[in-house]
Short mmCIF file of all heavy atoms in Angstrom, two decimals:
data_model
loop_
_atom_site.label_atom_id
_atom_site.label_comp_id
_atom_site.label_asym_id
_atom_site.label_seq_id
_atom_site.Cartn_x
_atom_site.Cartn_y
_atom_site.Cartn_z
N ILE D 16 -2.78 -34.09 29.16
CA ILE D 16 -1.49 -33.54 29.63
C ILE D 16 -1.74 -32.33 30.55
O ILE D 16 -0.79 -31.83 31.14
CB ILE D 16 -0.68 -33.08 28.39
CG1 ILE D 16 -1.35 -31.99 27.56
CG2 ILE D 16 -0.24 -34.27 27.52
CD1 ILE D 16 -0.48 -31.42 26.50
N THR D 33 -12.22 3.10 28.25
CA THR D 33 -12.52 1.89 28.98
C THR D 33 -11.36 0.90 28.82
O THR D 33 -10.68 0.85 27.83
CB THR D 33 -13.83 1.23 28.47
OG1 THR D 33 -13.67 0.96 27.09
CG2 THR D 33 -15.03 2.18 28.61
N GLY D 68 1.89 -46.79 46.40
CA GLY D 68 1.28 -47.69 45.35
C GLY D 68 1.03 -46.95 44.10
O GLY D 68 1.37 -45.75 44.00
N PRO D 71 -4.10 -43.76 40.83
CA PRO D 71 -4.90 -43.61 39.64
C PRO D 71 -4.52 -42.41 38.82
O PRO D 71 -4.76 -42.43 37.58
CB PRO D 71 -6.36 -43.48 40.18
CG PRO D 71 -6.29 -44.08 41.60
CD PRO D 71 -4.87 -43.75 42.04
N VAL D 117 21.05 -18.13 16.77
CA VAL D 117 22.53 -18.38 16.67
C VAL D 117 22.82 -18.81 15.26
O VAL D 117 22.32 -19.84 14.78
CB VAL D 117 22.96 -19.39 17.72
CG1 VAL D 117 24.49 -19.62 17.63
CG2 VAL D 117 22.59 -19.01 19.11
N ALA D 147 16.37 -5.72 13.37
CA ALA D 147 16.97 -4.34 13.48
C ALA D 147 16.32 -3.55 14.52
O ALA D 147 16.93 -2.76 15.26
CB ALA D 147 17.00 -3.69 12.15
N VAL D 166 20.46 1.06 20.95
CA VAL D 166 20.19 0.81 22.42
C VAL D 166 21.47 0.95 23.21
O VAL D 166 22.50 0.76 22.65
CB VAL D 166 19.54 -0.61 22.63
CG1 VAL D 166 18.17 -0.71 21.94
CG2 VAL D 166 20.47 -1.67 22.05
N ALA D 183 27.14 -6.77 21.30
CA ALA D 183 27.23 -5.51 20.57
C ALA D 183 26.77 -5.75 19.13
O ALA D 183 27.14 -6.76 18.49
CB ALA D 183 28.57 -4.83 20.55
N ASP D 209 30.32 -21.59 27.50
CA ASP D 209 29.12 -21.04 26.81
C ASP D 209 29.04 -21.54 25.44
O ASP D 209 27.94 -21.80 24.89
CB ASP D 209 29.25 -19.44 26.75
CG ASP D 209 29.16 -18.91 28.17
OD1 ASP D 209 28.69 -19.57 29.11
OD2 ASP D 209 29.51 -17.70 28.29
N LEU D 221 17.43 -28.49 -0.31
CA LEU D 221 16.51 -29.17 -1.21
C LEU D 221 17.08 -30.58 -1.50
O LEU D 221 18.07 -30.77 -2.05
CB LEU D 221 16.35 -28.45 -2.51
CG LEU D 221 15.22 -28.76 -3.33
CD1 LEU D 221 13.86 -28.47 -2.65
CD2 LEU D 221 15.18 -28.02 -4.68
N SER D 260 15.49 -20.57 28.24
CA SER D 260 14.94 -21.47 27.23
C SER D 260 13.73 -20.91 26.61
O SER D 260 12.88 -20.39 27.31
CB SER D 260 14.65 -22.84 27.81
OG SER D 260 15.85 -23.46 28.31
N SER D 269 0.53 -19.68 6.11
CA SER D 269 -0.71 -19.36 5.48
C SER D 269 -0.59 -18.70 4.16
O SER D 269 -1.48 -18.74 3.30
CB SER D 269 -1.59 -18.54 6.44
OG SER D 269 -0.90 -17.40 6.86
N LEU D 342 -4.98 -4.48 14.31
CA LEU D 342 -6.19 -3.89 13.74
C LEU D 342 -6.11 -2.38 13.83
O LEU D 342 -6.51 -1.78 14.80
CB LEU D 342 -7.45 -4.42 14.37
CG LEU D 342 -7.81 -5.87 14.08
CD1 LEU D 342 -9.04 -6.33 14.86
CD2 LEU D 342 -8.14 -5.96 12.62
N ASN D 353 1.00 -13.06 11.46
CA ASN D 353 2.32 -12.47 11.68
C ASN D 353 3.20 -12.69 10.38
O ASN D 353 2.83 -13.45 9.51
CB ASN D 353 3.03 -13.13 12.91
CG ASN D 353 2.89 -14.61 12.89
OD1 ASN D 353 3.63 -15.27 12.17
ND2 ASN D 353 1.99 -15.19 13.71
N ASP D 401 0.63 -2.74 -1.73
CA ASP D 401 0.49 -3.54 -2.99
C ASP D 401 1.89 -3.63 -3.62
O ASP D 401 2.41 -2.61 -4.05
CB ASP D 401 -0.49 -2.85 -3.91
CG ASP D 401 -0.65 -3.71 -5.21
OD1 ASP D 401 -0.01 -4.76 -5.30
OD2 ASP D 401 -1.52 -3.25 -6.06
#
Side-chain angles (χ1 to χ4, degrees):
I16 62 174
T33 59
V117 179
V166 295
D209 293 344
L221 195 65
S260 298
S269 54
L342 285 175
N353 48 77
D401 182 359

